[in-house]
């Protein structure tokens, strides 16, 4: 009797993969909205109504500044759909989208605690609810990315697992945020700018702030920035399998996309990953901060956009530094 080769066992598809993408994406959005609503309902039973005290209250016959009463919920829903869709298209897993959500919501939390006398507990609950409500459904519907899965071997796994690399770069990001924000407050230009565009109840906390007190507020922002920007850059690697050889660039025969890529997109894979994620982070930092700022009494869109610019500057300084610290190309 002839020997037969052992049967090939096909890997069992995960439960996430059994659902088609066009079903999982709407499910993710619906779960996000429902879970967010449920978490806020539960939090309201524990927290005081601090956010309601500083939020805009529509008054009959009074023209509302910024976004209209009916326009604001629609714009916020469109922004949420855009965030979920972009994250899905770029294949962000629960850790990626959780880190991104944390970074884009911390500026609003910082504004509340520094200028609106909102407690750290309420601000922390706000950020936690935003992160959990998007990260948990993503975990259920999206496979874990290779860089966040310890079972998947990648070339620079030792760097991702390094405590020294992780926390030194987290400290770097915290230091960048603290330096940018502290210098902005100490020179008073940020405070004056916000006074001109927001109806601030008090600036006492902003005047009395110390650089050391920034660390607890910015630790999450620093770690999330490192996780969203640096870790994927370190883990970026060429696709497995045979690689088609690329000949030298010929200007005379090159197409327009090839010419643009040769002149403007010649970076390493890690640098391209950092650039792409920095653009995503900056875009949603601006959009989310403007939309959240529009909910505050007496706020102006220009003020929210300018305030977001401070955080975008700090985030991109971190990204520029990570280009060097994350460059492990041979």
């Amino acid at each position: 009797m002839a020997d037969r080769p052992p049967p090939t066992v096909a890997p069992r598809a995960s439960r996430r993969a059994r659902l088609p993408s066009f079903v999982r994406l709407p499910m993710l959005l619906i779960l996000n909205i429902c879970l967010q609503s449920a978490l806020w309902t539960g939090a309201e039973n524990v927290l005081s109504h601090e956010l309601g005290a500083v939020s805009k209250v529509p008054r009959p016959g009074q023209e509302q500044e910024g976004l209209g009463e009916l326009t604001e919920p629609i714009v916020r829903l469109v922004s949420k759909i855009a965030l979920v869709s972009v994250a899905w298209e770029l294949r962000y897993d629960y850790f990626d989208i959780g880190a991104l959500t944390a970074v884009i919501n911390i500026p609003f939390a910082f504004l509340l605690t520094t200028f609106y006398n909102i407690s750290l507990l309420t601000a922390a609950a706000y950020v936690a609810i935003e992160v959990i409500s998007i990260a948990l459904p993503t975990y259920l519907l999206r496979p874990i990315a290779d860089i966040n899965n310890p079972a998947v071997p990648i070339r620079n796994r030792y760097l991702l697992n390094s405590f020294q690399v992780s926390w030194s770069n987290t400290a770097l990001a915290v230091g960048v945020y603290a330096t940018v924000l502290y210098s902005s407050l100490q020179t008073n230009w940020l405070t004056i700018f916000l006074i001109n565009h927001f109806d601030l109840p008090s600036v006492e906390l902003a005047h009395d702030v110390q650089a050391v007190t920034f660390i607890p507020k910015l630790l999450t922002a620093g770690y999330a920035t490192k996780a969203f920007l640096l870790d994927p850059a370190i883990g970026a690697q060429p696709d497995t399998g045979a690689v088609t050889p690329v000949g030298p660039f010929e200007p005379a025969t090159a197409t327009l996309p090839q010419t643009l890529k040769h002149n403007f997109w010649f970076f390493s894979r890690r640098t391209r990953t950092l650039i792409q994620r920095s653009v995503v982070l900056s875009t949603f930092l601006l959009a989310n901060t403007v939309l959240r700022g529009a909910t505050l009494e007496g706020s102006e869109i220009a003020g929210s956009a300018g305030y977001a610019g401070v955080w975008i500057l700090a985030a991109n300084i971190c990204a520029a530094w990570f280009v060097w610290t994350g460059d492990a190309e041979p």
Side-chain angles (χ1 to χ4, degrees), residues 76-127:
R76 291 177 64 179
L77 178 60
V78 170
S79 176
K80 182 181 291 291
I81 294 174
L83 174 62
V84 173
S85 300
V86 169
W88 188 269
E89 182 66 24
L90 296 177
R91 307 186 68 83
Y92 292 169
D93 67 358
Y94 78 99
F95 196 73
D96 294 321
I97 190 63
L100 173 61
T101 303
V103 177
I104 66 176
N105 281 284
I106 285 175
F108 183 64
F110 184 87
L111 180 67
L112 293 176
T113 57
T114 307
F115 293 97
Y116 284 87
N117 298 322
I118 301 298
S119 66
L120 285 174
L121 178 61
T122 298
Y126 155 71
V127 175

Side-chain angles (χ1 to χ4, degrees), residues 3 19 26 34 49 71 105 111-112 146 159 174 196 198 200 204 243-244 257 270 276 291 301 312-313:
D3 293 335
L19 294 173
C34 293
H49 299 281
T71 306
N105 281 284
L111 180 67
L112 293 176
D146 289 348
L159 292 176
V174 172
N196 291 330
F198 288 84
L200 301 178
E204 182 179 356
V243 179
T244 303
R270 289 186 174 81
Q276 182 195 72
L291 290 175
I301 293 179
I312 292 172
L313 172 63

Side-chain angles (χ1 to χ4, degrees), residues 102 128 225:
T225 301

